[in-house]
Amino acid sequence: GENVEQHPSTLSVQEGDSAVIKCTYSDSASNYFPWYKQELGKRPQLIIDIRSNVGEKKDQRIAVTLNKTAKHFSLHITETQPEDSAVYFCAAGGSNYKLTFGKGTLLTVNP
Amino acid sequence: KAGVTQTPRYLIKTRGQQVTLSCSPISGHRSVSWYQQTPGQGLQFLFEYFSETQRNKGNFPGRFSGRQFSNSRSEMNVSTLELGDSALYLCASSSPDLGLAGGVRTGELFFGEGSRLTVL
């Protein structure tokens, strides 16, 4: 089955810096790659997603890149703010309607 | 539009007991997925239901089971509880499948607030 590896597990940055979280996946049939943000004590929420026919997608301060050949995708957050502090999960959409998540990255933005 | 509702929000059980968790999806969503969240393990897929049929199942023992009703509400059951079953159980619903070839999920998952299970 699909296996998603996510790095780093924790990331601490200064406000205004950029943050990058990387994920790799194993199933070459995966073609949907969403990112979810989970603030402390809250439910995960989709922040951005990308499909395999696109190499990059941007939404204001966040962007996701995808390299299908290498089977990895990354989340980039620019000009980080304290409210960006949360756990971020990457995921890969494989066969049989199953979405496999990475183990998460705890991002801390220090004011 | 009401969000995904999970009940109960918190519960405490002892080893050997069984538990049933309920999930009401967003109106119009026919797909319901269940995930187990534990510190350090992220979100682990349990199973997914669509129109009362289990379409896929994760790598959990048979003690974990689920079902979906005709109104898309779903329940999951864990029998013979173990200490390691303590976790936050999240359900998520998604919009009607758009029918892309290959059966790959394309829709956004809308999560409930979860049911936090503690097994003593």
Side-chain angles (χ1 to χ4, degrees), chain B residues 67-86:
Chain B
R67 60 177 175 169
Q68 186 179 35
F69 302 96
S70 58
N71 62 357
S72 294
R73 189 178 70 85
S74 178
E75 289 182 347
M76 66 163 283
N77 182 276
V78 188
S79 62
T80 319
L81 284 166
E82 300 177 359
L83 295 178
D85 297 333
S86 295

Side-chain angles (χ1 to χ4, degrees), chain A residues 1-2 29-34 36 38 41-47 49 51 87 89-104, chain B residues 3-4 9 33 35 37 40-45 48 55-59 88 90 97 99-113:
Chain A
E2 175 69 277
S30 293
N31 65 4
Y32 175 59
F33 307 93
Y36 283 78
Q38 186 177 29
K42 297 192 176 181
R43 68 191 80 188
Q45 291 188 298
L46 179 72
I47 55 171
D49 58 13
R51 286 169 172 74
V87 177
F89 293 98
C90 65
S95 59
N96 295 327
Y97 306 93
K98 180 178 176 180
L99 198 60
T100 302
F101 284 83
K103 293 185 178 181
Chain B
V4 177
R9 291 290 315 282
S33 303
Y35 290 85
Q37 184 173 23
Q41 292 301 313
L43 297 163
Q44 293 186 284
F45 176 78
E48 189 251 359
R55 288 201 292 197
N56 201 12
K57 191 176 189 301
N59 297 321
L88 179 67
L90 291 163
D97 195 284
L100 286 185
V104 176
R105 175 180 298 286
T106 60
E108 175 180 357
L109 294 181
F110 293 86
F111 284 90
E113 292 185 288

